[in-house]
Amino acid sequence: MAKHCEIMKNKIKRILKGNQKIKWMYPLAQKLYRVYAVPAKRRRLQTKGPYVLSRIDSILQKHKIDYFVDFGTLLGMIRQKGFIPHDDDIDISIPPGSVSARQLIDLFVNEGFELIQALTYHD
C-alpha cells in the first residue's frame, strides 16, 4: 500500500510541476501532504510500531544477527519509554560485517515484510 502511495505522490508531483497553468498548486499540495499524510504515518508508528519492532527483534534474534535501535528510536526508548510523538520511522543499526544488505533485505522479505526503499552507505 505504501508503495502505491509513493507512486501516486510522484505522479501528482510531475503533473503539478510540469504544467505551467497549475504549477502554483504544487506548494499547496506539499502543505496538504505535510498536514494530512505525515501525521497519519506518525499515528501508525505509535499504534503499530511496538508490534513491528518486536517482529524485527524476533527475526534478527532467530537468525543470530546483532542489532541495536538508533537515532530517534533510541532516544524515544530512553526518554519516552516508547516512540517519540513526532517520529515516523523505526531506526535500527547492524554492525558492519555481520550480514550484507542484500541478505538482510532477502531475510525480511522472506519473513513477510515489503521492501519500499533500500539505502546503503559505503557500498
Side-chain angles (χ1 to χ4, degrees), residues 26-38:
Y26 182 68
L28 177 63
Q30 281 183 309
K31 185 170 184 159
L32 288 172
Y33 175 76
R34 283 193 304 272
V35 169
Y36 295 105
V38 172

Side-chain angles (χ1 to χ4, degrees), residues 60 65-68 92-99 104 108:
L60 293 176
I65 298 172
D66 291 330
Y67 80 98
F68 54 94
I92 63 167
S93 292
I94 296 174
S98 57
V99 63
L104 196 60
F108 278 99

Side-chain angles (χ1 to χ4, degrees), residues 72-89:
T73 305
L74 177 60
L75 181 63
M77 295 297 146
I78 291 170
R79 191 172 71 186
Q80 307 286 128
K81 306 294 185 237
F83 291 97
I84 297 173
H86 59 271
D87 204 358
D88 63 359
D89 63 357

Side-chain angles (χ1 to χ4, degrees), residues 12-110:
I12 291 168
K13 183 178 179 180
R14 275 196 312 276
I15 291 167
L16 291 177
K17 286 182 110 177
N19 188 324
Q20 292 299 321
K21 291 182 181 179
I22 59 171
K23 194 174 186 175
W24 62 270
M25 290 178 68
Y26 182 68
L28 177 63
Q30 281 183 309
K31 185 170 184 159
L32 288 172
Y33 175 76
R34 283 193 304 272
V35 169
Y36 295 105
V38 172
K41 283 176 65 179
R42 290 180 186 144
R43 280 193 305 278
R44 198 166 43 243
L45 178 69
Q46 300 300 320
T47 57
K48 298 181 183 198
Y51 169 73
V52 172
L53 192 55
S54 71
R55 284 235 11 240
I56 291 169
D57 177 62
S58 66
I59 291 167
L60 293 176
Q61 282 193 24
K62 181 170 85 174
H63 294 279
K64 296 178 176 39
I65 298 172
D66 291 330
Y67 80 98
F68 54 94
V69 294
D70 212 353
F71 303 109
T73 305
L74 177 60
L75 181 63
M77 295 297 146
I78 291 170
R79 191 172 71 186
Q80 307 286 128
K81 306 294 185 237
F83 291 97
I84 297 173
H86 59 271
D87 204 358
D88 63 359
D89 63 357
I90 297 174
D91 306 300
I92 63 167
S93 292
I94 296 174
S98 57
V99 63
S100 75
R102 183 77 250 166
Q103 290 170 321
L104 196 60
I105 289 168
D106 291 342
L107 174 73
F108 278 99
V109 168
N110 290 338

